[in-house]
Amino acid sequence: MLRVGSRVACTACRNLVSTNMGVRFRVPLQKLHPLSRAIHHRYSANANPQRPPHRTAARHFTSMSRLPMRPAKPPPGSGGHGYQQQRNFWVARLAARLLRLRYILLGSAVGGGYTAKKTYEEWKDLLPDFSEYNWVIPDFIWELSEQIDLEKLAKALPEIEEIAKLLPDMDKIGENFTFLKSLLSSGLSLGSEVKGASGLHLLLETSGDPPLKATDSPAAGTSESSDKQYKKSSDREKLDQLQEELLRTQMRYQRMLERLEKENKELRKVVLQKDDKGIHQRKVKKSLIDMYSEVLDILSDYDSNYNTQDHLPRVVVVGDQSAGKTSVLEMIAQARIFPRGSGEMMTRSPVKVTLSEGPHHVAMFKDSGREFDLSKEEDLAALRHEIELRMRKSVKEGQTVSPETISLSVKGPGIQRMVLVDLPGVISTVTAGMAADTKETIFSISKAYMQNPNAIILCIQDGSVDAERSIVTDLVSQMDPQGKRTIFVLTKVDLAEKNLASPNRIQQIVEGKLFPMKALGYFAVVTGKGSSGESIESIKDYEEDFFQNSRLLREGMLKAHQVTTKNLSLAVSDCFWKMVRESVEQQADAFKASRFNLETEWKNNYPRLRELDRNELYEKAKNEILDEVISLSQVTPKHWEAILQKKLWERVSTHVIENIYLPAAQTMNSGTFNTTVDIKLKQWTDKQLPHKALEVAWETLQEEFARFMAEYKGKDQDDIFDKLKEAVKDESIKRHKWNEMAMDSLRVIQHNALEDRSITDKPQWDAAIQFMEETLQSRLKDTDSVITDMVGPDWKQRWLGWTNRTAEQHVRNETKNELERLLKLHEDHTAYLANDEVTTVRKNLEGRGVEVDPVLIKDTWHQLYRRHFLQKALAHCNLCKRGFYYYQRHFVDSELECNDVVLFWRIQRMLGITANTLRQQLTNTEVRRLEKNVKEVLEDFGEDTEKKMQLITGRRVQLAEDLKKVREIQEKLEAFIEALHKEK
């Protein structure tokens, strides 16, 4: 039983491993047996005094001993010799204990010094790297020394006394070892000694292994049990004191680091402000994170046709609705930048937030130049309002959420560099007011971002609700089953600790034992008390105070590195940049291959064309259209007047012949003729003529504009612009409104022109005769064509064309013949048939077996009389060709009257003056207004991306778009990779 390595332990040995001691025991049990035998045989009456166990125990227990370990040999049979040997080793045994105490104290001092040194080195690492400013050292150092009080900064550094405070409390350790010595001398069990000596070690442990416990010996006496109870309570108090001392030491260390970090921020801020003010003349380059964010913005608009997907890393923030996603992001960004609501959905579209370091705490949208000062509450409110407006604008009618991304950048001192995407919260039920597909849309948006194999998933779980109600954890498990890129964050831990009956449940969550999902790391954070008016600083203070006093951290359920949003942001930033460094070059190679494919396709299909994208093509088409509008202003006045006069006469000729000339020609004398003409011309001028003239001018302008748009043949003419030009033409004409004030002036001009009856010379008279003759001949030709259609083909056409008349044509032909006989008998017949004449004609036709309707008779008479009248008017026009002499004498002593010629002269003169007036208005006003409308339409189309995509289409356009985007992405990626390699 007394041999070294014996398998049988004595009663004191069994007492060492009592289960109620609660000691974390790391030394193998068999190594403690020699020491237990030494203690047992020293104070036990039944011990064998012949064996010297203390020497062996000291050798086995003392780690500092350099002597070789040898088992004790049995002494000679003499009892006195054995007692002398035991007495001689008492001095060595005491020296060994004193040496052990000395080395333990020395080791603690060395360890504390090392900790202080490590703390100082970590603080040095937090200082900014000034290697980029080496080229300005000669001037920069002196100006910087004027701005910064180096003596004040030196005084702010920690003193030796403060660093000494970080070392373990040597008095406490001395008391513990004094207590250990008393226990050794009093003969108590070794359990309390091991427990007291290892209390500090237990607090520093991070593993969750249960402590080793020993069992009580049933053979122990009553006094020994009472000693154990006293020892247990005393040791527990000592352990609690050591734990509290360690927590206070950690908090002092943390506060010192925060103070140093704050001073470091101030120093960096001064340096960055000096950069902004221009200490050096060289232009400051874009930051690394800004370069990376630009690449992501381009990729968000890139629609790949070559399977070059966007696999660049970003931090995707997902979670159940109202789980605290936005609050976590705001804590990382150090500003309350997002709109808030009580339980309702606030995040309606993805928001990409680029975080970077800068001298001032500001925010800015990608497509806006306005900076929001996040240190001012007014700017914060304006920023939240702007984000809410952009979200609502991106949501289409009938939808609740939108996949369109809002890009925002936030800069400030001490902000960790990364790119985060805040997604709409995952919901389990669609409530009133939401679109029916809201749940599926949110799932599809979340999956689209999480399926990126390089995306870091920041899974947010509400700690104040039951874990079984979580939806997002299952979704994250599907997208990242191995948990290689997932970081789990438990929010509202303060409410969880207060409400949960078993705080161990929180420990299970952060250790990854409750959910089936796996993660790289687990964090527990507190994002305030739930009030929307809380500031970031107050939330930080509340979070720090909570974890300082929380039993979760004090009892080891949470580890110090797993709590606070600050530790979370550091871990996420490190993971983000690690992922970027591992994947960015591979992504650049993929886009390089895609660029080669696109360039090859362009060379094969469009070898002689420039690679113009949609915007460049639009600018080219815009210049062509403006050139065409300018060409419209170069039309000659003669061309304008000829077109206007011709079109205006075509529009009003029917009214002049049917409503003015024919009624006036039925009168018996020239006075009545002129009176009728004047009345009807006045009525026409007041009501219809100005409107008709403006309609003709507007139609002429449209036709000429369309003709120039269609006939423009430049050397770079491209059919791809046809749809755009047509749309611009239609929209410009639609927007153009003729100046209404021109109508009144035009009415006066036309009235004055028609009032003039004075033909001054023979050429004017001949021009009027020609105009009248051409008009009458044109009308006569039209009338003959109408009559031919009414009566059908004549005998020659029937024989040669093998055609016959219809029954109606036969009746009309018979009616025509009967009415022609009536006109031969009465050449001066009026324009209308009397009722008795209609009856006579009908009876004559019935006599020949032709049944005819009175209405048909009147219709046929109207056309026949028009032809008869036009033939007589043409004959009279020929007679008036030599009547200018009689006109000058007012047809005195002459039977020839040419008042109809004067009427046509007045009409012709009015057409010329009206055409001239309209031409002046066109060239001076309307063409310029149309050109202005065209420019406005082009500007509006240029700002409307969807409109350009509708009007400029085709594989050639899409190929040029893709090629431009891929080149831009590749160039920016290469620049980013180069800057990434240069960064230390």
Side-chain angles (χ1 to χ4, degrees):
M1 171 179 168
L2 300 178
R3 294 181 180 276
V4 178
S6 175
R7 298 184 179 180
V8 182
C10 64
T11 303
C13 299
R14 287 195 298 270
N15 292 336
L16 290 176
V17 292
S18 176
T19 57
N20 58 4
M21 299 302 293
V23 179
R24 190 183 300 266
F25 201 89
R26 300 236 175 230
V27 182
L29 187 59
Q30 60 272 19
K31 291 188 178 181
L32 292 180
H33 291 168
L35 180 59
S36 66
R37 286 197 298 272
I39 300 171
H40 174 73
H41 293 301
R42 180 180 178 184
Y43 299 103
S44 176
N46 298 327
N48 188 356
Q50 302 300 324
R51 299 187 181 274
H54 295 82
R55 179 181 178 184
T56 305
R59 291 180 182 274
H60 281 270
F61 184 79
T62 305
S63 60
M64 302 297 177
S65 177
R66 298 294 181 182
L67 298 177
M69 296 294 184
R70 289 182 298 207
K73 295 182 180 180
S78 174
H81 179 71
Y83 175 78
Q84 183 66 28
Q85 185 180 7
Q86 182 176 3
R87 185 181 63 180
N88 292 338
F89 277 101
W90 182 84
V91 178
R93 193 164 57 249
L94 179 60
R97 290 177 182 175
L98 294 176
L99 286 174
R100 191 184 70 169
L101 291 175
R102 184 183 67 180
Y103 282 116
I104 290 177
L105 294 176
L106 181 60
S108 300
V110 172
Y114 174 75
T115 303
K117 180 181 179 182
K118 185 177 180 182
T119 302
Y120 176 69
E121 294 295 335
E122 291 179 353
W123 175 77
K124 284 178 60 179
D125 293 338
L126 292 175
L127 291 176
D129 185 7
F130 293 99
S131 60
E132 298 180 359
Y133 302 94
N134 288 339
W135 55 276
V136 293
I137 284 178
D139 298 329
F140 175 75
I141 292 299
W142 297 109
E143 296 187 14
L144 188 60
S145 62
E146 295 175 2
Q147 300 292 333
I148 302 176
D149 190 351
L150 297 179
E151 295 181 358
K152 183 178 179 181
L153 182 60
K155 293 179 181 179
L157 293 177
E159 301 293 340
I160 298 178
E161 291 80 3
E162 295 182 357
I163 296 177
K165 292 179 182 179
L166 299 177
L167 299 177
D169 192 344
M170 297 303 174
D171 296 336
K172 294 283 186 180
I173 296 176
E175 292 176 4
N176 291 330
F177 281 104
T178 303
F179 179 66
L180 174 63
K181 182 178 179 182
S182 64
L183 289 177
L184 289 172
S185 62
S186 60
L188 294 176
S189 176
L190 192 60
S192 62
E193 303 164 12
V194 177
K195 184 173 182 178
S198 60
L200 183 63
H201 175 70
L202 291 175
L203 288 176
L204 297 177
E205 280 292 325
T206 58
S207 64
D209 299 334
L212 181 62
K213 298 183 180 180
T215 58
D216 293 335
S217 173
T222 307
S223 61
E224 191 175 8
S225 300
S226 61
D227 291 340
K228 289 181 180 180
Q229 295 295 332
Y230 171 76
K231 174 205 61 176
K232 184 191 299 183
S233 60
S234 178
D235 290 347
R236 186 178 294 111
E237 293 176 358
K238 293 290 184 179
L239 181 61
D240 292 340
Q241 292 177 0
L242 286 174
Q243 288 177 342
E244 293 178 0
E245 180 66 24
L246 179 61
L247 285 176
R248 285 194 294 269
T249 303
Q250 288 180 342
M251 291 306 172
R252 286 199 301 268
Y253 172 70
Q254 184 72 18
R255 283 194 291 270
M256 181 174 292
L257 286 180
E258 289 178 356
R259 181 168 59 83
L260 293 175
E261 184 180 357
K262 185 176 180 180
E263 294 172 358
N264 185 20
K265 288 181 183 178
E266 294 296 329
L267 180 60
R268 292 176 65 88
K269 184 176 180 179
V270 171
V271 174
L272 292 171
Q273 286 176 340
K274 287 295 183 181
D275 291 345
D276 293 341
K277 294 177 182 178
I279 293 179
H280 45 52
Q281 300 299 323
R282 186 177 299 178
K283 185 178 179 181
V284 179
K285 297 181 180 179
K286 290 184 179 180
S287 65
L288 199 62
I289 191 65
D290 289 336
M291 297 171 65
Y292 186 76
S293 180
E294 287 183 0
V295 176
L296 295 182
D297 289 335
I298 300 173
L299 284 173
S300 64
D301 301 330
Y302 176 64
D303 183 14
S304 175
N305 294 323
Y306 284 87
N307 297 323
T308 307
Q309 300 178 0
D310 175 14
H311 287 169
L312 287 177
R314 69 264 284 162
V315 181
V316 180
V317 186
V318 296
D320 298 330
Q321 183 177 342
S322 301
K325 306 184 314 303
T326 302
S327 299
V328 172
L329 202 155
E330 286 180 337
M331 290 294 291
I332 296 175
Q334 301 180 15
R336 308 298 294 268
I337 59 177
F338 290 102
R340 316 193 67 79
S342 56
E344 60 178 327
M345 177 181 294
M346 298 305 297
T347 305
R348 297 180 177 270
S349 64
V351 181
K352 182 178 75 70
V353 183
T354 303
L355 302 178
S356 59
E357 192 172 20
H360 306 289
H361 204 185
V362 295
M364 181 186 299
F365 290 99
K366 178 186 72 172
D367 54 354
S368 174
R370 178 185 177 183
E371 277 191 352
F372 296 88
D373 189 350
L374 302 183
S375 61
K376 298 180 180 178
E377 187 59 35
E378 310 87 63
D379 283 17
L380 276 173
L383 177 61
R384 290 192 291 265
H385 182 66
E386 180 67 20
I387 292 177
E388 186 175 2
L389 288 179
R390 287 174 179 259
M391 285 184 181
R392 295 188 180 277
K393 184 179 179 181
S394 65
V395 177
K396 297 181 180 179
E397 185 177 357
Q399 298 294 321
T400 306
V401 295
S402 170
E404 297 183 13
T405 304
I406 299 174
S407 184
L408 177 70
S409 63
V410 177
K411 296 183 179 181
I415 295 180
Q416 298 298 319
R417 303 177 303 168
M418 67 185 90
V419 177
L420 302 100
V421 182
D422 186 21
L423 300 180
V426 179
I427 61 175
S428 58
T429 305
V430 177
T431 59
M434 292 185 179
D437 61 343
T438 301
K439 179 179 178 181
E440 291 74 14
T441 304
I442 294 176
F443 268 83
S444 63
I445 294 174
S446 301
K447 288 182 179 179
Y449 277 91
M450 288 191 294
Q451 69 184 1
N452 179 358
N454 296 321
I456 300 169
I457 304 173
L458 198 62
C459 180
I460 309 297
Q461 170 64 34
D462 189 350
S464 63
V465 300
D466 295 336
E468 290 76 11
R469 295 168 55 186
S470 175
I471 306 173
V472 71
T473 51
D474 294 336
L475 180 61
V476 173
S477 298
Q478 296 175 8
M479 306 308 296
D480 185 24
Q482 302 299 324
K484 295 182 179 180
R485 51 190 180 91
T486 301
I487 297 177
F488 183 86
V489 181
L490 186 67
T491 61
K492 306 178 185 178
V493 182
D494 53 341
L495 300 178
E497 184 185 34
K498 184 186 303 182
N499 299 333
L500 287 181
S502 175
N504 293 331
R505 195 172 175 84
I506 298 178
Q507 183 179 6
Q508 292 178 347
I509 293 176
V510 297
E511 289 179 355
K513 298 179 180 179
L514 188 63
F515 292 111
M517 63 169 289
K518 300 178 181 179
L520 283 173
Y522 297 82
F523 289 87
V525 299
V526 174
T527 55
K529 301 178 182 179
S531 174
S532 60
E534 290 181 287
S535 65
I536 295 296
E537 294 299 327
S538 63
I539 296 176
K540 285 183 178 179
D541 295 339
Y542 174 72
E543 184 182 41
E544 181 180 351
D545 294 340
F546 168 77
F547 283 116
Q548 284 182 3
N549 303 318
S550 173
R551 54 180 289 200
L552 299 173
L553 190 63
R554 188 171 60 250
E555 296 180 1
M557 298 181 185
L558 296 177
K559 301 179 179 63
H561 68 274
Q562 287 183 308
V563 297
T564 72
T565 52
K566 181 178 180 180
N567 291 336
L568 171 64
S569 63
L570 290 172
V572 173
S573 178
D574 291 342
C575 186
F576 170 75
W577 284 107
K578 179 181 178 183
M579 190 73 75
V580 168
R581 289 183 174 89
E582 291 176 353
S583 61
V584 67
E585 294 187 359
Q586 181 181 0
Q587 190 74 8
D589 294 339
F591 278 102
K592 185 176 182 180
S594 178
R595 173 179 176 176
F596 175 79
N597 295 335
L598 293 172
E599 289 177 344
T600 302
E601 182 180 356
W602 183 275
K603 291 177 182 178
N604 293 332
N605 295 313
Y606 313 103
R608 297 184 179 181
L609 295 178
R610 292 175 56 197
E611 299 168 359
L612 300 179
D613 61 5
R614 185 174 280 106
N615 291 330
E616 292 171 337
L617 288 172
Y618 182 81
E619 290 299 323
K620 181 179 178 181
K622 178 180 177 180
N623 294 331
E624 289 188 7
I625 294 173
L626 293 177
D627 290 343
E628 294 164 8
V629 176
I630 294 175
S631 299
L632 185 64
S633 62
Q634 296 177 355
V635 177
T636 61
K638 183 177 180 181
H639 180 75
W640 278 120
E641 292 182 11
I643 296 175
L644 290 169
Q645 186 170 350
K646 179 181 179 181
K647 286 186 174 298
L648 182 60
W649 176 239
E650 291 176 355
R651 184 65 58 85
V652 303
S653 60
T654 301
H655 180 84
V656 171
I657 299 298
E658 301 293 337
N659 298 87
I660 299 177
Y661 179 53
L662 283 177
Q666 304 301 318
T667 58
M668 301 303 296
N669 52 59
S670 60
T672 307
F673 178 88
N674 291 331
T675 302
T676 304
V677 166
D678 291 342
I679 294 173
K680 291 186 176 294
L681 288 177
K682 181 68 167 59
Q683 294 174 350
W684 184 46
T685 305
D686 292 340
K687 296 180 180 180
Q688 300 182 15
L689 184 57
H691 293 279
K692 296 289 184 180
L694 291 182
E695 289 178 3
V696 168
W698 177 222
E699 292 175 2
T700 303
L701 179 61
Q702 294 181 40
E703 292 177 1
E704 288 298 304
F705 179 51
R707 181 176 66 85
F708 274 96
M709 294 279 285
E711 294 180 358
Y712 182 80
K713 297 295 181 182
K715 63 179 181 178
D716 295 330
Q717 174 68 14
D718 201 333
D719 296 338
I720 203 170
F721 302 145
D722 293 345
K723 188 184 295 185
L724 174 62
K725 290 182 177 180
E726 189 68 21
V728 171
K729 182 195 72 174
D730 295 341
E731 184 65 21
S732 301
I733 291 174
K734 181 180 178 181
R735 295 186 184 185
H736 186 81
K737 301 295 181 183
W738 200 276
N739 188 5
E740 297 295 337
M741 297 182 62
M743 185 178 296
D744 297 333
S745 60
L746 183 61
R747 180 182 290 109
V748 174
I749 293 173
Q750 291 173 337
H751 181 75
N752 293 335
L754 291 174
E755 285 291 329
D756 190 6
R757 300 185 182 87
S758 302
I759 304 177
T760 58
D761 53 13
K762 186 67 165 58
Q764 293 183 4
W765 180 269
D766 294 338
I769 292 292
Q770 183 180 359
F771 174 64
M772 178 181 176
E773 186 175 13
E774 291 176 354
T775 302
L776 295 177
Q777 287 178 352
S778 174
R779 289 290 166 176
L780 180 60
K781 183 177 180 181
D782 295 340
T783 304
D784 287 338
S785 176
V786 172
I787 294 174
T788 300
D789 294 337
M790 290 173 59
V791 301
D794 56 6
W795 64 271
K796 184 183 295 185
Q797 293 174 345
R798 291 198 302 272
W799 279 99
L800 297 177
W802 293 85
T803 58
N804 291 319
R805 291 171 177 164
T806 62
E808 183 179 359
Q809 289 176 344
H810 177 71
V811 172
R812 286 188 177 276
N813 184 60
E814 293 296 331
T815 304
K816 179 182 75 73
N817 294 335
E818 185 66 25
L819 293 175
E820 284 179 347
R821 286 193 290 269
L822 178 61
L823 281 174
K824 287 181 180 180
L825 294 175
H826 305 281
E827 292 184 358
D828 295 332
H829 199 285
T830 59
Y832 302 99
L833 283 176
N835 291 333
D836 55 347
E837 292 176 332
V838 174
T839 302
T840 302
V841 170
R842 184 169 61 83
K843 289 183 177 181
N844 293 337
L845 292 175
E846 290 177 352
R848 294 198 296 270
V850 179
E851 295 290 336
V852 64
D853 185 71
V855 177
L856 187 144
I857 295 174
K858 291 181 179 180
D859 291 342
T860 307
W861 169 258
H862 178 71
Q863 297 299 330
L864 291 176
Y865 182 81
R866 281 172 58 86
R867 184 174 66 178
H868 174 69
F869 172 79
L870 293 174
Q871 290 173 350
K872 287 177 59 179
L874 279 173
H876 182 71
C877 182
N878 290 329
L879 293 176
C880 289
K881 288 181 179 180
R882 47 188 176 83
F884 178 70
Y885 171 75
Y886 298 104
Y887 166 77
Q888 290 180 326
R889 300 183 58 184
H890 304 286
F891 300 104
V892 178
D893 300 332
S894 173
E895 296 181 356
L896 183 64
E897 293 184 357
C898 297
N899 294 315
D900 48 357
V901 176
V902 177
L903 171 63
F904 278 93
W905 180 81
R906 293 167 67 182
I907 298 295
Q908 185 183 32
R909 185 169 180 272
M910 182 273 299
L911 292 175
I913 293 176
T914 301
N916 181 269
T917 303
L918 294 176
R919 188 266 307 167
Q920 292 181 13
Q921 188 172 355
L922 281 173
T923 55
N924 296 336
T925 306
E926 302 304 330
V927 171
R928 295 180 181 178
R929 290 179 61 203
L930 180 62
E931 182 179 354
K932 181 180 178 181
N933 290 338
V934 171
K935 291 181 179 179
E936 291 178 355
V937 171
L938 289 172
E939 292 294 332
D940 293 343
F941 284 2
E943 296 175 357
D944 192 346
T945 304
E946 295 183 359
K947 196 74 173 179
K948 288 191 291 186
M949 294 179 66
Q950 294 175 0
L951 299 177
I952 304 179
T953 58
R955 177 56 189 162
R956 167 185 158 194
V957 181
Q958 189 61 44
L959 185 60
E961 284 280 306
D962 293 343
L963 190 54
K964 178 184 177 183
K965 285 287 179 65
V966 170
R967 283 174 176 169
E968 185 178 6
I969 292 170
Q970 183 191 359
E971 291 172 359
K972 290 187 177 295
L973 275 177
E974 291 177 351
F976 171 76
I977 293 172
E978 182 180 357
L980 186 65
H981 289 165
K982 290 181 180 179
E983 187 185 55
K984 294 183 180 179

